[in-house]
Amino acid sequence: MNIILMSVLAGVVGMGLGGVLTALFGSKNDKIISIFLSFSGGVMISISFVELIPEALELSNVMVLVIGLFAGAVLVWALHYLMDNISRSGGKSKMHETFAEFFHSDDVISKKSKMLRSGLIMLFAIGLHNVPEGLAMGAAGNYDARLGLTLAIIIGLHNIPEGMAVSAPLMLGGLSKLKAISITLIAGATTVLGAVIGVILGSISDIAVALSFGAAAGAMLYVVLGEIIPQSIVMSKDRIPTIFAFLGLVVGTAFTVVLH
């Protein structure tokens, strides 16, 4: 299957499905969303350590891998710092009590007049999350179709709870279900942009592919370990997200080994 088509399915369809599930089953249960998100975070940890990092080492060396890992983590940190400055947190990272706050859209629920501004900030934030995921998919698919398909399935799984987290505050803020789902689809489209960049980088050389894999792994690990799991624990008020993150790690590892 064409890697760009796979990125559309993983990004746009995955996020959209999350929006549809929210529209069908409700949008107020942060604990359920945190469990889904933690599980997918565990799956992303598995793909980083079982696939991306070993492949990067096979194509290059430890130094290239380390550079890629740091580059991916620093890129995501810089993008999030920018988002914090745009939002009212003023560039200071903090733990949030709800997913609406987590995605810099807490005004959506309490002040419908600020829906457009909050919705655009949320769209931008999630869109940035999806670029490194698309990058990994594009570089992997260009290098190995099987690896690209594995990443597409796992990223698509991860995008479902993200789509739920994006669409929920929009619906609570007064947007119709159709409009909220449409905005969620747009947020998933940046996965395709990342995939195009990944394909281009993956066509240059093995070193470029290794750097892309390292950067994608670094970005994913930073997001999962630094944000998704800690935030999920805070919002669920218990350790259940940790259990589901571990379960996702086990399932993701088994799934990757079976497809290998």
Side-chain angles (χ1 to χ4, degrees):
M1 185 186 297
N2 183 278
I3 189 61
I4 303 302
L5 176 58
M6 285 194 292
S7 69
V8 172
L9 294 175
V12 179
V13 177
M15 292 284 291
L17 181 57
V20 171
L21 290 175
T22 301
L24 292 176
F25 301 109
S27 56
K28 297 182 179 181
N29 197 329
D30 277 344
K31 178 171 287 192
I32 296 298
I33 297 177
S34 71
I35 288 175
F36 278 118
L37 206 56
S38 297
F39 178 84
S40 65
V43 174
M44 292 179 74
I45 293 175
S46 72
I47 196 65
S48 295
F49 282 106
V50 178
E51 283 283 8
L52 294 176
I53 291 177
E55 292 288 353
L57 286 173
E58 184 176 329
L59 290 169
S60 58
N61 53 58
V62 174
M63 183 59 67
V64 173
L65 171 62
V66 169
I67 292 173
L69 287 170
F70 272 103
V74 169
L75 174 61
V76 175
W77 173 85
L79 293 174
H80 287 183
Y81 183 83
L82 173 63
M83 289 307 307
D84 286 332
N85 272 300
I86 293 175
S87 69
R88 64 187 183 184
S89 58
K92 296 181 179 180
S93 297
K94 62 177 182 178
M95 303 298 282
H96 302 290
E97 294 295 328
T98 68
F99 273 100
E101 293 178 4
F102 184 30
F103 291 115
H104 308 286
S105 58
D106 45 318
D107 287 338
V108 172
I109 296 177
S110 59
K111 298 179 182 179
K112 293 183 180 180
S113 62
K114 295 186 177 181
M115 170 62 69
L116 181 59
R117 173 184 175 276
S118 300
L120 289 176
I121 290 175
M122 179 170 17
L123 175 65
F124 187 42
I126 293 298
L128 292 178
H129 272 94
N130 289 336
V131 172
E133 297 174 2
L135 173 66
M137 200 187 312
N142 189 69
Y143 170 71
D144 181 350
R146 179 204 56 81
L147 178 57
L149 178 60
T150 302
L151 272 174
I153 295 173
I154 289 176
I155 290 172
L157 173 66
H158 169 73
N159 281 339
I160 293 174
E162 275 202 349
M164 296 170 67
V166 172
S167 59
L170 290 177
M171 293 179 192
L172 288 172
L175 280 187
S176 68
K177 293 179 179 180
L178 181 59
K179 288 182 179 179
I181 293 172
S182 298
I183 290 176
T184 305
L185 288 171
I186 294 173
T190 54
T191 306
V192 182
L193 173 61
V196 172
I197 297 174
V199 169
I200 294 173
L201 292 177
S203 302
I204 297 175
S205 67
D206 286 349
I207 297 296
V209 175
L211 282 171
S212 299
F213 286 173
M220 289 181 181
L221 291 173
Y222 181 93
V223 170
V224 174
L225 299 177
E227 296 190 357
I228 289 178
I229 293 178
Q231 288 286 168
S232 296
I233 292 174
V234 169
M235 287 179 286
S236 66
K237 306 297 191 298
D238 54 38
R239 296 288 177 178
I240 292 179
T242 304
I243 297 173
F244 275 88
F246 179 77
L247 181 61
L249 175 61
V250 173
V251 172
T253 301
F255 179 79
T256 304
V257 171
V258 168
L259 287 183
H260 198 74

